[in-house]
Amino acid sequence: MADHRNGNPQPPNAMATGAGNAYAINLATFSARLKALYSHWDQHKSYLWGSSDVFAIATPPASEDLRYLKSSALNIWLLGYEFPETIMVFTRKQIHFLCSQKKASLLEVVKRSALEAVGLDVVMHVKAKSDDGSALMDAIFSAIHAQLKADGADSAYVGHIARETPEGKLLETWTEKLNGAGFQLSDVTNGLSDLFAVKDIGEIINMKKAAFLSASVMNNVVVPKLENVIDEEKKVAHSSLMDEAEKAILEPSKAKVKLKAENVDICYPPIFQSGGEFDLRPSAASNDELLYYDSASVIICAVGARYNSYCSNIARTYLIDANPLQSKAYEVLLKAHEAAINALKPGIRVSAAYQAALSVVERDAPELVPNLTKSAGTGIGLEFRESGLNLNAKNDRVVKTNMVFNVSLGFQNLRSHTNNPKNQNFSLLLADTVIIGEKSPEVVTVKSSKAVKDVAYSFNEDGEEEVRPKAKADGNGAESLVSKTTLRSDNGEISKEELRRQHQAELARQKNEETARRLAGGGNGAGDHRGGAKTSSDLVAYKSVNDLPPPKDLMIQIDQKNEAVLLPIYGTMVPFHVATIRTVSSQQDTNRTCYIRIIFNVPGTNPQDTNFLKYQGATFLKEVSFRSKDPRHSSEVVQGIKTLRRHVVARESERAERATLVTQERLQLAGNRFKPIRLSDLWIRPVFGGRGRKLPGTLEVHVNGFRFSTTRADERVDIMFANIKHAFFQPAEKEMITLLHFHLHNHIMVGNKKTKDVQFYVEVMDVVQTLGGAKRSAYDPDEIEEEQRERDRKNKINMDFQSFVNRVNDLWGQSQFKDLDLEFDQPLRELGFHGVPHKASAFIVPTSSCLVELIETPFLVVTLIEIEIVNLERVGLGQKNFDMTIVFKDFKRDVLRIDSIPSTSLDGIKEWLDTTDIKYYESRLNLNWRQILKTITDDPQSFIDDGGWEFLNLEASDSDSENSEDSDQGYEPSDAEPESESEDEDSDSESLVESEDDEEEDSDEESEEEKGKTWEELEREASNADRENGDESDSEEERKRRKMKAFGKSRAPSSSSFTKRAKMR
C-alpha cells in the first residue's frame, strides 16, 4: 500500500486548499464515512467487531514494499491520506489521534466535523520526535478507563487488527502497553472488511477508472506487444514484458488513456507466464525465461492498475495453435467464468458464484474438476484481496449492491499428450473486475475481449493460415474455436479502408493533373533557393607602402589591426592579407627544429571565388615554409594566424549572410497609441552570441510587429507581422517548456545567426535532483505540497501564454491585418508520432496547416500546402519502422526524409494524410529522389505521359502484373503439354522464371534496341529488372542490402519467400 512508484498521486477525498500549497481533508466525505463507521459498529458489534467497546488502529511507518494493510486502508477511506506512524483510538464519545505535530495540524480540521456528524470529541496527542509516546499512551488508556467507569462497566473489549505485526518503535511500544493495560483484546478485521465492501459513488468512479486503465493496457500495450514478438519471432523475457506493461500503467498515455499519471499505480507487478511453468496465485511473479510461443503453447497475462489507491484486475489466456484439449478446456473455462459473474446478484450468497462455475465444469468436462481453482476470486477495493469476500464454496456472506469483485477462475496443472516439456503442462486463467449492480453485475474490464476468436491464434509451419473445420455450436450456443487470423477482416474496418483507398485514388488523379499543368507551364514551384556563389571582396591590407609597420627582426609578424601577416622573404617584410591564407601548420623534427608551412589560396582552390578573375596573368604564391629554432615562438605564430583568420572568416560570412537578407519595414512602436501586450521572463532560440551569461527578456507587441529585448542594449530582435508565415503556441503537457514559435517568410538575424525560425519559451519546472537515497511515502505532505507547487507553476505559465496568444489573435483579427491571415496554431498531440527528421529522434506533431517539431533543434516546420506527395518507404510485413519522404511542389528543393517511424504509427499517419487531402504512396525500399526529381525536371513530358506519380503505386503495379500473368495462363500453345496441379500451386517464383523464358524468345527483336544503349543504361535496366522480379535466387539479406539508387519502381519479393509464419494481424 505504501509503494507508489509514480511519485505522489493525489490521494482520494483530498482537495487543494485555497492557497494551493497543501492538501486538506474533504470534510463532507469524512463526515459521511465517520457516520457509516459508527453505524456499522453499532449494528454489527458482536458479530463482526468482536464485541469491542473501543478499537484502536495503528498505522506502521511508510515502506517501499508493495503491501496492503487494513490500517492504511482505513486512513485513506476515512481521511484521504495514509498517515504513517499514527495511532487512532475510537471510543463511543471520543476519537484519539497520537501522531507528530505536522500530522496533527492536518487533522485539526476534523474536530468540528466529528462533533457535528456523530457528537464526538477529537483529542490530539502530539508526540515529539525524541519521545517514545509512552506518556501519551497512558493518557489514552486513562481516558478509556474513565469512559468505562462513567458507563458503569468493569472491563472492556478493545478491538485491534490482530494480523498486522507492529513495525517501528512507536507501534511496538503501543502493542506492549496495550497488552499490559488489562483490556480484553478482540479482532476487528471482519468489521473493517465488511465496512469497506460496499462502495459509495466516489469509490465506484475510482474503480471504474482503474479498471479502464487495466483493460486499456491489456488491449493497447500487452496484446500488440505479444503479436509483434510472435510475428517477428523475437526472443523476449517474461520480465521484460512485465517492465513494459508496468511502465504503461504508470504512464497512462502509453495505453491511450487520459488519466493523470500522479493518480495511478500498479496493484502488483504485471504477470507473464508461458513455457510450461504456471502459477495462478496472485502472488506469482514473471520470471526471466523467454516467452514461449511455439505450436500448442499457452501464454497467461495478468495486469492490475490502481487509481487513487483503488484496485482493479484483469487476466487473459492466449492460445497458440491450440490442441483439442486446450481448446475444450478454454471453452469450458469461459462458460464457467461467465456463470460465476452472472451468479453475483444482490441478496445471493457469495458461495453461489463458485457453485455456478463448478456446475458448468461438472456438466461439460467432469475430468477437469480436480484442476479447477478452489476459489473464483475475492472482493477488491482499497485492498487487492478483501478478506471476508472470498468467492469459494464455503462463504455464506450475502452479496450487496455496489460490492466489487475480482472474479478470477482457472484450470491449473493440465497435461497435454506430448513429449515437449515446454507445452506438456499448461494452465488457463481468466479474471475480470465486476461491480454488483441493482439488477445485474457490470464487468468494467469488458473492453478487453476474452472471446475465443480474440485469444486463439492459429498458424502452420508453411506460413499459411490454418483453416479449422467449423464445429457445431452446442446447446448453449457456444462458438467454435476460430483463430484470430481467420477473422482479421471486420466490416467496419474494410469499409473505412475502402473509403480511404477511393479518396486516395481521386487525390492521385487531381495531383497528376495539377503537376502536369505546372510542369507544362514551365514552372517548378518556388524556384531554386540555393544562393548564388559567394565572392570575396577586394583584399587590401595596406593602401600604400608607407602604412607598413616598421620592420623589427626578420621574423614572421602578425598585424592584428590591419589583418595582415608579414613574412620575411629575401630580407624584406612582405605583407599578405590573412584571408589569402588557406592553411597554416607547424612540424618539429628530431633536432627540435620547427618548420612553419603556409599554404595560400590560388586559382582553382576555391571555384566559387571569382576574385582571381580580376588578376588574370598574375603570378600567385602557392606555398612558403620557414624554419625556426624556437618551438614556442613558432607555435605562437601558427596559433595567432589561425585565430586572426577564424575571426576574419566569421566576420565576412556574417556580412555575406546579411547581404542576402530581404529588407524589412521598420518596427512602429506602440508609444502612446496603446499599451503594448507584454510577456516577460522569456528565453529565445536561437540564442544571442557572446560569451556572457544568457539573460531572459520580454516579448512586446507593437503596431506592426513583435520586439524581444533583454537588459543588454545589443540583444534585440524585431519580428514583423508581414514576415510571419506561421505562428505556433505549444503549452507544456509532457514537455518541460511552454513556447511561442514563429516561422518566417524571409530570414532575419538573431545575434550573428541567420534564421527563419525564432522561438520564445519558459521552462515550466525546475530540474532538481534530490541528494541521498532516502525515499518518501506517496502521501507525505511535504512531497504533496512540492508537487502541487510544480503543477500550479505549470498551469500559471500555460495560462499566461494562453492569455497573450488570445490577445494577439484578437489584434490580428482587426481589419488592417486581414490580408496577413495570421493566427496562432496549436499542435495536435493526439496525432503525433516519433521519428528522426534530422539526427535525433523527436516527437513530430501535425497542426491544422503544418507538420512541426518545436522542442529539439534544428526545428522542423513543413507547410502542408507546399507538399506535392508523401511516399511511405520500407513499409512491409515484419518491419518495425518505416520512413516518410515528403516531396515538395518545388522540384528543385531537396525532399525531406523522416526516418525510423514506428510501424504502429502507420495507420494513424495514413488517416491524417488522407483527411488533409495529401496523396501518399507506399514502397518497400528507399528511393533515390535526387535522380527521380532530376529525371522529371529534365523531361517533364515523359513523366506526364507515363502517368505522373502512378509509378509509385504498388497496388496498381501488382494488379497489372497479376493481369498479365492471368492472360499468359489463358493462352496455351497447341503443342504444349498440360501442367500438373502441383505446378499450378507453385509459388510466384515459378511464374517469374516463365516470364524470363518468354523474354528469351523475343531476344532477337530486343537485341536491335540494346545495340544503341550505353553500358550504364544496360546496367541500370538489369538492376531494375532484378528488383522488380524479386531476385528469388538471392537471400533475403542480400536483397535488403540492394537499395534502389535510380529512378523507377521499387518492388519487394512476395511475402511467402521470407515469411516463416503467418502474421497475427
Side-chain angles (χ1 to χ4, degrees), residues 511 514-515 518 725 849-852 860-871 884-891 893 895-896 898 912-913 916-920 949:
K511 180 57 63 178
E514 175 194 329
T515 307
R518 194 169 69 250
K725 187 175 183 180
S849 59
C850 296
L851 183 67
V852 302
L860 173 69
V861 179
V862 179
T863 307
L864 299 185
I865 60 174
E866 296 177 358
I867 295 177
E868 173 78 3
I869 61 162
V870 170
N871 194 45
M884 181 165 72
T885 300
I886 297 175
V887 182
F888 296 99
K889 293 179 180 178
D890 176 10
F891 289 166
R893 181 177 173 185
V895 299
L896 171 67
I898 302 176
W912 167 66
L913 291 172
T916 51
D917 291 337
I918 294 177
K919 175 58 186 171
Y920 67 84
W949 294 110

Side-chain angles (χ1 to χ4, degrees), residues 263-385:
N263 292 341
V264 302
D265 200 355
I266 61 170
C267 295
Y268 55 86
I271 299 172
F272 291 84
Q273 300 178 4
S274 66
E277 297 181 11
F278 297 95
D279 184 356
L280 302 188
R281 294 175 299 177
S283 58
S286 302
N287 57 31
D288 293 325
E289 296 294 323
L290 296 178
L291 184 73
Y292 186 77
Y293 45 82
D294 277 1
S295 181
S297 58
V298 171
I299 302 172
I300 292 179
C301 309
V303 174
R306 282 196 288 179
Y307 183 80
N308 282 345
S309 298
Y310 284 85
C311 300
S312 65
N313 188 46
I314 185 172
R316 294 290 182 262
T317 299
Y318 297 97
L319 310 175
I320 312 298
D321 283 332
N323 58 37
L325 174 59
Q326 293 169 341
S327 302
K328 179 181 179 181
Y330 187 84
E331 290 178 352
V332 173
L333 178 63
L334 182 59
K335 293 179 190 175
H337 191 252
E338 290 296 328
I341 292 173
N342 293 330
L344 291 170
K345 297 180 179 178
I348 305 297
R349 294 186 182 277
V350 170
S351 57
Y354 186 78
Q355 291 295 346
L358 182 62
S359 299
V360 171
V361 180
E362 289 176 338
R363 182 191 68 215
D364 294 348
E367 70 278 9
L368 300 181
V369 170
N371 303 98
L372 185 66
T373 53
K374 304 306 178 185
S375 167
T378 62
I380 191 171
L382 286 168
E383 298 174 281
F384 183 71
R385 287 177 287 175

